[in-house]
Amino acid sequence: MPLIKDGCIVEDDWTHVPDGEAVPADRPAIISFERFQAERATFEGRNAALGVRVKSGTLAPAIAADLERFALIAIEFPKFRDGRGFSTARELRERYGYEGEIRAVGHFIPDQYQFAVRTGFTSAEAPANANPESWARALTEITVAFQPSLDDPQPLSLLRRRLGA
Amino acid sequence: MALLKAITANRLRDGEVVFLKAEGVWVERLDEAALFEDAAVADTALAAAKAQAERDQYGVDIYAFDLTLKDGRPDPVKARERIRALGPSVRTDLGKQAAA
Amino acid sequence: MNHIAPGRNAGVYNYDEIDRRFVSERVEQFRAQVARRLSGELTEEEFKPLRLMNGLYLQLHAYMLRIAVPYGVLTSRQMRKLAEIGRKYDKGYGHFTTRQNLQFNWIKLEETPEILNELAEVDMHALQTSGNCVRNVTTDQFVGAAKDEVVDGRVYAEILRQWTTLHPEFTYLPRKFKIAIMGSEKDRAAIRIHDVGVFAKRNDKGEIGFAFYAGGGLGRSPFIGKLIREWVPEEDFVAYLEAILRVYNQYGRRDNIYKARIKILVHELGQEKFTAEVEEEFARLRGPKYRLAPEIVAEIRRRFGGPSFEDLPPVSAALEQAKAANEAFARWVAVNVTEHKAPGYAVATVSLKPAGGIPGDATSEQMELVAALADQYSFGEIRVSHAQNLVLAHVKQDDLFALWTALEGAGLGTANVGLIGDIIACPGLDYCALANARSIPLAQAISERFADPARQQLIGELGIKISGCINACGHHHVGAIGILGVDKKGVEFYQITIGGDPTLTTAIGDILGPAVTEHEAVDAIEAIVEVYLANRHDGESFLATLKRVGHGPFKERVYAAH
């Protein structure tokens, strides 16, 4: 899975660890949130970074209490049409002040990438055959926003009128 | 009367209603479509047509529908398929029926 | 691109360079998406929501493009562009819809980016006219002209249009989301059958605020919107909507397409719990980030310009003379013309429902004629009503006769607005991929049966609404007489309901009895009308008579022959 950050394919330091498999202690690992809940004691005192993968139906309040434990939160899109993740990311940032990495995983297409960035995601996992051009273009093809967002609190459009521009 | 089957799709690039004539060959007129007497044969042809049309980005919404022969010409059982094969019943000047 | 600003006099939001840049970028984005689909980079499953959010459906015969007419208001120049597109890329006609938009039925995917590009030249687009996002916000077709107007809904509809355009959080909602806004005493926008209905009003101090209704909708399970807040101050307008959408996006059902609308969420949670969730979210969101500052509202309001009316006497002698001299004209004035807030002006509705015609269809020539008449008589501005008619909102009473004469000459002078011939009908099985039965032929047969204008006027206000399937695009549930097309083993049947009401006293019609054939349906409608006329007291509406005498006499008469 190529990892996309800032519109480019980058090296991924993280490993997804399926439930039941050993979690490497010496490098960043992403486990399911369910596993974290079941085995939380075993991750006490872990030195390497820990990330969790949350299902689209797991909303921000459900993971809020443990946020300081996670250096990364991977939000699942079971189908790209399931847009709950956009609310989850925004709540993590705005309501709970989460500052770690938020990653979009699952079925996610370039045409949603800008929405993800605007709601607080920092990275996305693209399919193996991803066209890098489409991902790069996704962040630059639309330059006018009509709402404030995580990446731009004073967008060009509707709110610009407040600035008298 | 024995039910026959034909295979149809909308052409991706312009939405035109098309019918399968032979493997990989699609036509715009129902009169030229392949008619299947055997449902199992139609199923096989449908699976092949779907694979081909999707692989070639040729067609979407590919499915088989029922028809009979009326005066030797294919006649869809359902109003929906008749309208697709002809054009809007309220604008007989438009669609495939207009060129007939 | 050569942009010419729309006429400053028209009450249409004026784009600036940033608005234009956005629409152009969106066109190029779609052009690239189409190329990626044709090359196979995008699957049909992935492409479908993307094309839908640009208004492009695949229907029975071809692609259908639904062009946004924001809150139903457009300039003559925009109307001419629609006529041109109809001629160049379609088959010379278009269909005005119950959401105040325009649909073309014979569109090619590969030509769509070019069509969108042409639309952008006149500050138009097809954005969010479909898909699981916030759709075109609708309002009163008489907005800015109606005598009973309290708040100009266009300003707030435009704010919502902008706010919900490519909203990063709410573009992949569980299902589509429709908002209607009303700013008059009377509800002409059917706000309680919308996902969110907004009623703009003023308090004792003259400040503007909004009542919010949520969870209305027709379709398979019709629900009437519930009042969830009586007063939202203007500055919290977007924050409150944001709160509703946040609750819906997170908790709306995604497991079953038929249960995904907000009406089901409101119903399953209950009005109280739903409202509490929204209020909790609202309390958090309220604040500087989502505050709708008065300067923003003022700036948007300024962008509408708006016609400057002449000082005219309230009564036009020319109009009175023409009415006295011409019975057909007098009838058209009585039926199709509404009071204007400015003395000496009137609001004229152009019926797109000639007897035997296709409701809401207009040819490119008719669009051009209406555009020319708008230039001549109504500040170059045209509205599309949710009843699928066109409105010239600011006509001098002195000019009404000349206007009517020109309309008559083009088959657009039918005097039946609000009457039995003014039938709302979805495209039905003649065009629509979802339909179970045809709607148009039945509308044609009914309007022909009641073609006599004098008879229509005698019957009085009576709305017939026809849908070709349970999705209810023809709003049959809220028709005084509603007709739903169903498929019974390949044969089209029609189920009749009576007693529906789309206004603030919203009511869902009751099923009269077993479904009937198309031919029987026309007789059934006539029977219902006869029972009404035989039973009505002086000046009594259909709904009032029905309430008084009950369903019995109607049912008995309709099914007497069976």
Side-chain angles (χ1 to χ4, degrees), chain A residues 87 90 94 134 143 160, chain C residues 16 25 41 163 169 289-290:
Chain A
S87 285
R90 214 176 110 188
E94 290 186 346
S134 300
T143 64
R160 77 183 181 272
Chain C
D16 65 10
E25 287 174 350
E41 184 186 328
W163 186 267
E169 189 179 343
K289 192 164 178 182
Y290 299 110

Side-chain angles (χ1 to χ4, degrees), chain B residues 83 86-95 97, chain C residues 61 93 106 430-431:
Chain B
I83 289 168
L86 294 172
S89 70
V90 293
R91 287 295 301 264
T92 50
D93 57 324
L94 302 177
Q97 61 200 351
Chain C
H61 313 293
Y93 71 106
W106 303 89
D430 280 302
Y431 292 98

Side-chain angles (χ1 to χ4, degrees), chain C residues 49-177:
Chain C
L50 304 179
R51 70 163 153 77
L52 288 176
M53 278 185 245
N54 280 280
L56 196 64
Y57 286 73
L58 183 59
Q59 296 289 23
L60 289 186
H61 313 293
Y63 289 93
M64 179 269 273
L65 181 64
R66 183 181 292 155
I67 295 166
V69 180
Y71 30 93
V73 189
L74 73 168
T75 63
S76 55
R77 179 164 172 264
Q78 291 173 327
M79 184 68 106
R80 281 193 192 91
K81 177 54 90 175
L82 295 176
E84 186 189 332
I85 288 171
R87 208 173 273 131
K88 199 161 154 188
Y89 298 100
D90 206 88
K91 294 184 188 286
Y93 71 106
H95 175 77
F96 290 97
T97 76
T98 53
R99 288 203 65 71
Q100 302 179 288
N101 292 320
L102 177 84
Q103 290 175 184
F104 286 119
N105 296 304
W106 303 89
I107 296 297
K108 297 179 167 73
L109 172 64
E110 55 196 1
E111 289 181 348
T112 306
E114 216 27 59
I115 299 172
L116 297 179
N117 195 39
E118 291 209 21
L119 285 172
E121 287 172 17
V122 294
D123 303 338
M124 292 190 91
H125 55 74
L127 296 176
Q128 297 182 203
T129 54
S130 179
N132 293 337
C133 51
V134 181
R135 302 284 190 88
N136 185 25
V137 178
T138 52
T139 190
D140 179 9
Q141 70 271 20
F142 299 152
V143 65
K147 202 166 184 183
D148 63 346
E149 184 163 282
V150 179
V151 175
D152 186 340
R154 278 173 305 187
V155 174
Y156 301 94
E158 175 61 23
I159 288 168
L160 287 190
R161 184 189 75 80
Q162 296 196 19
W163 186 267
T164 57
T165 293
L166 287 194
H167 195 298
E169 189 179 343
F170 305 129
T171 296
Y172 292 90
L173 293 169
R175 199 76 178 85
K176 58 187 168 186
F177 201 89

